[in-house]
Amino acid sequence: MKRILIENGVVLTMNQAGDIHERGCVLVEDSRLAYVGPREGLPRDLDARRHDAAGHVVMPGLVNCHTHLCMIFGRTLATNTDLLSWLDLQMPLMRALDAEAMLAAQTLGCIENLKNGNTTVVENLFAPRSDSVSPEDSAFAAMENTGIRGVVARAFEAMRFDPAFVETPAQQAQRIRSLHARWHGRAQGRLGLSFGPLLPWTLDESMLRASRALATELGICLHMHVAESREFNRIIERHYGRPVRNVELLHETGCLGPDVQAVGVSDLAPNEITLLAETGTSVVLDPQTRLFWGTGFPALTPFLEAGIHCGLATNGPAANCGQDLFESMKYACATAKTAAADPHALDARRALRMATIEGARVLGLDRRTGSLEAGKQADLITIDLRQPHLVPAFDLEPALVFSARGTDVRDAMVDGEWLMRGRRLTRIDEAAVLARAEEMAERALAGSQVRRPRHRTLTPQGTPHDD
């Protein structure tokens, strides 16, 4: 049996009681947590490899409930457009990705998540239709190789979308069944599959009902963008030819429930929040991208008051140019307080829970991860408190939410394996991945015929100059 003892750190458990252990210990046996608590609870002569976490917080790895790593090569492109125009500008670049480029993109994205302390990630993948290339295999392979805990949420489109991406319902069902057989539960349960429509108007009512039936048959989750903006609901009314809102439509077709994750919800009527609560549907919030596109943001308070489980996400690296979930926590609090005109609307403790145990619960993974408790998988991170922007940390939870950054994460472990030690990855040659990703991104950009942005640099005199 392999034992690792992490000692002398401030252990933030995120358990139901909210226990925090000063100079606490975490004992890992193989892939699981065997003990979490004060040093006095362990024998002095314990046979274990020791990791000194003095000056660090030891806490659960963060749970990034929604991203699009498949779009990572579009980072910083089209940053001054509305959501749907931005998507139109990103699509040519995505069409230019072959299997090699997709693997490079997904690996780069997994590394970025790990280095920001996100040990669990949901990759909402969409890609052009192909009979010879499986972008999902590239995503799963990247997760398997990097060691991250990952879910590939396969998005699909059946109509009213770029023709290169459109598949028939039968093709979609065949793809999901094949992916489920090959990947769901692989790597000792570290990898999983979910699915759902990319956008509400890329299918019809019968296809939504078929999606619900397939998810129930396979026992997997539905993961989909919901009511991201007022424009979403206007397009839905036009597409379905009647005055129906996004959540109402999902309720009519049976696509709400405890196994459903509604992502990016920004434009909801009170009755829709009631429907989400009554059906046990979870929401995934990415507040910084709501601000990025100027689509507005939900008050958050109605979700919390309704008892809805809320997870946090970064959204894709092309959407907000980063994968820092600490940033998401900070923006969640700020937007909730601003929308409600109430400084008490969302506190740091709840934001931390949304990024850890509550996010895991949203994904149906809370029995495995999301908190440091004996019996769970050993998914954890350490954060260096000895930073100018974290001193003094009189109140730990606000310090993590309002002052910490992803770059403060020093170590990351998944299933009892150190994937990062002292900011250095253990499984992956980071420099080689970055070089390869740069090469693949350049190739994809050239192949897409997307106009390269003009760089603004400084002249030797310090004045702006257009290259």
Side-chain angles (χ1 to χ4, degrees), residues 30 65 77 205:
D30 293 330
C65 290
L77 296 179
E205 287 100 325

Side-chain angles (χ1 to χ4, degrees), residues 287-363:
Q288 68 273 42
T289 46
R290 302 304 107 206
L291 302 179
F292 185 92
W293 284 312
T295 57
F297 47 84
L300 292 184
T301 306
F303 298 136
L304 305 180
E305 292 176 344
I308 295 171
H309 293 310
C310 301
L312 284 179
T314 61
N315 211 328
N320 73 358
C321 302
Q323 297 289 277
D324 188 343
L325 209 61
F326 290 93
E327 181 181 78
S328 299
M329 286 189 272
K330 185 173 182 176
Y331 273 108
C333 290
T335 55
K337 294 176 181 185
T338 302
D342 178 4
H344 307 290
L346 180 62
D347 63 19
R349 176 170 296 182
R350 182 63 187 271
L352 276 167
R353 293 187 67 80
M354 290 164 65
T356 53
I357 185 59
E358 194 167 346
R361 188 172 293 120
V362 163
L363 303 180

